[in-house]
């Protein structure tokens, strides 16, 4: 009866449901990781309460014991969600999807960790981006980071910055290689899918017979066509229900 920790795409997919993601996230929180899902903006998402998974209770006790044996102390496990209208407003101001996500993530880290800069901080790489100095300055205000010399055959596979007793690593496919990044991937995926459940329920109550959407491009176009009249009747702009980029 194991707790699975992996790239969220391996744990969740069509027909599999959210049980494995919810159980693992709940188990780590019960084992000592504080955290929350914060939602910025949205006319219909509502508050997303922390996931509870009753089956995680006995597993969390074993997990806590095993983590203690390994010298690992869960500290924080959370996620931040930007609604469509919030994302679009930030994009209009910052002109770059990558900058929007980077700024939101850095602010969340700064709030979650406070002034802590000692230790090893692990991040998944953001597309082809190679310069993370600005991101680190926002995530750890007042701390100066310097790029460390690359090691290994692929110098871009693991980009490292150092600052005093701290090290920040940006890793290609990090969610398949490092446990903290995999857990972050799982918490974010779980929050995203819970938000989609709320979105589908909101529109299904206004459009009889509406099939739910997973929110990905091709089916999203069908969904947007079918809710168009209900959206207009609710007084919501298209920018309130769809990212512009």
């Amino acid at each position: 009866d194991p707790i699975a920790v992996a790239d969220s795409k391996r744990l969740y997919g069509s027909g599999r449901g959210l049980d494995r993601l919810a159980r693992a996230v709940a188990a780590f929180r019960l084992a000592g990781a504080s955290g929350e899902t914060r939602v910025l903006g949205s006319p219909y998402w509502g508050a997303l309460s922390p996931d509870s998974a009753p089956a995680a209770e006995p597993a969390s006790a074993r997990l806590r014991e095993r983590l203690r044996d390994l010298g690992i102390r869960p500290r924080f496990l959370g996620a931040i969600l930007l609604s469509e209208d919030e994302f679009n407003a930030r994009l209009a101001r910052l002109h770059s999807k990558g900058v929007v996500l980077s700024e939101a993530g850095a602010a969340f880290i700064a709030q979650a960790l406070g002034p802590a800069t000692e230790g090893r901080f692990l991040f998944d790489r953001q597309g082809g981006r190679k310069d993370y100095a600005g991101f680190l300055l926002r995530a750890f205000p007042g701390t100066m980071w310097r790029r460390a010399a690359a090691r290994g055959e692929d110098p871009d596979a693991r980009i490292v910055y150092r600052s005093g007793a701290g090290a920040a690593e940006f890793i290609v496919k990090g969610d398949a290689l490092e446990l903290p990044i995999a857990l972050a991937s799982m918490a974010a995926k779980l929050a995203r899918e819970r938000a989609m459940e709320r979105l589908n329920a909101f529109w299904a109550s206004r459009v009889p017979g509406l099939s739910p959407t997973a929110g990905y491009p091709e089916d999203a176009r069908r969904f947007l066509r079918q809710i168009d009249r209900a959206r207009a009747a609710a007084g919501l702009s298209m920018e309130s229900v769809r990212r512009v980029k």
Side-chain angles (χ1 to χ4, degrees):
D1 190 23
I3 293 292
V5 178
D7 172 3
S8 62
K9 294 186 291 294
R10 295 185 59 190
L11 300 178
Y12 174 80
S14 178
R16 286 193 225 163
L18 290 171
D19 288 351
R20 285 191 292 181
L21 285 178
R23 186 166 174 270
V25 170
F28 270 87
R29 285 180 173 159
L30 289 169
S34 64
E36 61 182 335
T37 296
R38 298 180 190 171
V39 180
L40 300 184
S42 178
Y44 49 80
W45 282 3
L48 293 177
S49 57
D51 270 276
S52 59
E57 294 275 357
S60 68
R62 297 193 301 274
L63 177 63
R64 187 184 298 110
E65 182 178 339
R66 182 62 179 143
L67 291 173
R68 186 172 58 245
D69 292 343
L70 293 170
I72 298 173
R73 180 174 64 88
R75 177 172 176 177
F76 185 91
L77 181 58
I80 184 171
L81 294 176
L82 300 181
S83 68
E84 299 88 335
D85 47 354
E86 178 68 21
F87 178 92
N88 291 335
R90 293 186 181 214
L91 185 63
R93 175 170 58 88
L94 298 171
H95 310 294
S96 165
K97 176 182 174 181
V99 175
V100 169
L101 300 178
S102 175
E103 185 182 79
F108 189 53
I109 290 167
Q111 293 166 10
L113 297 182
T117 56
E118 294 186 0
R120 184 171 174 238
F121 301 92
L122 303 173
F123 302 89
D124 209 3
R125 280 281 300 278
Q126 298 175 23
R129 184 175 176 181
K130 297 180 181 180
D131 182 3
Y132 296 92
F135 169 82
L136 289 170
L137 286 172
R138 291 190 296 272
F140 304 94
T143 301
M144 298 300 296
W145 297 84
R146 57 181 175 78
R147 179 96 174 248
R151 295 182 180 180
E153 295 181 3
D154 185 351
D156 292 331
R158 192 175 289 250
I159 295 174
V160 180
Y161 288 79
R162 299 191 183 279
S163 177
E169 302 179 27
F170 297 83
I171 306 162
V172 172
K173 297 183 178 178
D175 50 8
L177 298 173
E178 298 282 0
L179 183 143
I181 301 177
L183 274 175
S185 167
M186 292 165 62
K189 181 66 171 175
L190 181 62
R192 190 260 185 201
E193 297 306 325
R194 292 297 191 214
M196 289 304 301
E197 289 175 352
R198 294 286 185 90
L199 180 149
N200 280 305
F202 178 90
W203 292 109
S205 69
R206 288 160 173 78
V207 183
L210 179 67
S211 296
T213 182
Y216 298 110
E218 185 146 344
D219 186 57
R221 285 190 281 272
R222 179 272 309 172
F223 190 83
L224 289 170
R225 286 195 304 271
Q226 293 180 341
I227 69 168
D228 193 56
R229 296 175 101 184
R231 175 192 61 75
L236 295 173
S237 68
M238 185 61 78
E239 287 72 27
S240 295
V241 298
R242 182 189 66 184
R243 277 188 356 210
V244 297
K245 185 176 181 180

